[in-house]
Amino acid sequence: MKKKRFRFLSVTSVLYPLLFGLLIIALWQGQVLHKLLNTTTLILPLPTRIISVISDNFPAIAEDTWATLSVIIPGLLLGSVLGYLLAVFATNSPRFGATGLTIIAAISAIPTVALAAVVLQWTRDVSTDVTVRSYVMKLIIVTIVSIASMTLNAYRGLTELKPFALDLMKSYAAGKFTVFIKLRAPNSLPYIFTSLKVSVPACVIAALVSEYFAEKITGVGRRIRECILQAQYSTAWAYIAVACLIGIVLFAILMASEKVIMRKRSS
């Protein structure tokens, strides 16, 4: 009975959002949304028009998509690793770790727009090549966004242990490294995935926003800006759709990875 209920919940958790999305697209295509929002098909192009633009400009859109992904993925990975290492340091050095966590929490509250403007000035002397400067600037922003979420969540996983688990390890004269490998690291695994669920969409947004400010005109975020400035709304919406697709695909990969890893861990 429990298995049937679990399968039902798994199916409905995907089916209901899918049906809602299809309903919105149907209302959009039928121009019902245009009447509700009091707008025109010029400002809000029909889905078929957006798909047509993507199809006609696929090579250029694919190139910009790769430019954005080449920032999101390394920034997410680098930020997650650094964030976890900071959480480990905070766990083993509570006196300094508490201060560090407070600073990281404060940094996480900085708007990405403000952060991008500041980092842009910092990276002007990184290289004479505008491509290098722009990439470093975007990578730093995505990395910072990822660090904050991972550090705070991983710290909870490393410190919120089962009752008496740490005392039991100490009774066996286990060292700090053994406690980390056998107890803290496995306990932090669910918290890592919780952090990544926040970091993935946040990193996508951070990459898009950073591309607005970057000197190099490339990437999905920058194309959205340029197309809107040139009143090419259909192309802008095509890039917006691609940006949404990037977030959905990366999040789906994360959810699938979590199911596989957590299933192996529990077995």
Side-chain angles (χ1 to χ4, degrees):
M1 186 69 181
K2 288 184 178 180
K3 288 185 178 180
K4 289 183 178 179
R5 180 174 176 78
F6 177 76
R7 289 177 181 175
F8 175 76
L9 292 174
S10 298
V11 171
T12 54
S13 64
V14 176
L15 184 61
Y16 289 162
L18 181 62
L19 291 176
F20 180 75
L22 291 174
L23 175 62
I24 294 296
I25 292 174
L27 294 175
W28 187 351
Q29 183 65 32
Q31 300 188 33
V32 176
L33 288 182
H34 296 78
K35 294 179 181 178
L36 293 174
L37 300 175
N38 192 27
T39 186
T40 65
T41 54
L42 175 65
I43 305 298
L44 184 61
L46 297 177
T48 50
R49 171 59 181 161
I50 295 172
I51 293 172
S52 175
V53 171
I54 294 175
S55 177
D56 294 340
N57 301 275
F58 185 78
I61 291 176
E63 183 178 348
D64 287 311
T65 301
W66 172 247
T68 301
L69 284 173
S70 66
V71 173
I72 295 173
I73 296 175
L76 177 63
L77 294 176
L78 180 60
S80 298
V81 171
L82 291 176
Y84 193 84
L85 292 176
L86 287 172
V88 172
F89 173 77
T91 302
N92 292 308
S93 305
R95 182 182 300 179
F96 300 101
T99 304
L101 290 174
T102 303
I103 295 172
I104 290 171
I107 292 174
S108 67
I110 299 176
T112 306
V113 174
L115 187 63
V118 172
V119 175
L120 176 62
Q121 300 302 320
W122 286 351
T123 55
R124 285 196 181 276
D125 298 326
V126 169
S127 172
T128 56
D129 188 345
V130 66
T131 302
V132 175
R133 291 201 305 269
S134 295
Y135 183 80
V136 171
M137 172 256 191
K138 292 183 285 186
L139 183 64
I140 290 174
I141 293 170
V142 175
T143 301
I144 291 174
V145 170
S146 182
I147 284 176
S149 175
M150 179 58 73
T151 303
L152 299 175
N153 281 282
Y155 180 77
R156 288 185 58 195
L158 292 168
T159 55
E160 294 182 1
L161 306 174
K162 293 180 180 179
F164 308 112
L166 187 57
D167 293 334
L168 180 62
M169 294 293 289
K170 288 181 178 178
S171 68
Y172 287 116
K176 285 187 176 182
F177 183 75
T178 304
V179 171
F180 173 75
I181 294 297
K182 298 291 186 180
L183 181 60
R184 294 190 188 276
N187 190 73
S188 68
L189 190 58
Y191 293 85
I192 291 174
F193 282 107
T194 300
S195 169
L196 290 174
K197 289 175 186 177
V198 177
S199 296
V200 167
C203 286
V204 173
I205 294 172
L208 296 176
V209 172
S210 65
E211 287 172 345
Y212 270 59
F213 294 87
E215 298 175 76
K216 180 72 172 179
I217 302 178
T218 186
V220 174
R222 187 55 180 263
R223 294 301 181 187
I224 293 172
R225 175 191 173 186
E226 296 297 319
C227 291
I228 290 175
L229 290 175
Q230 297 171 16
Q232 298 176 356
Y233 298 113
S234 296
T235 308
W237 273 100
Y239 277 103
I240 291 172
V242 170
C244 294
L245 187 61
I246 290 173
I248 292 171
V249 170
L250 291 178
F251 197 82
I253 292 173
L254 172 63
M255 294 297 290
S257 301
E258 181 186 18
K259 279 190 174 182
V260 172
I261 293 173
M262 295 305 293
R263 187 180 301 163
K264 288 183 179 179
R265 179 172 177 266
S266 60
S267 61

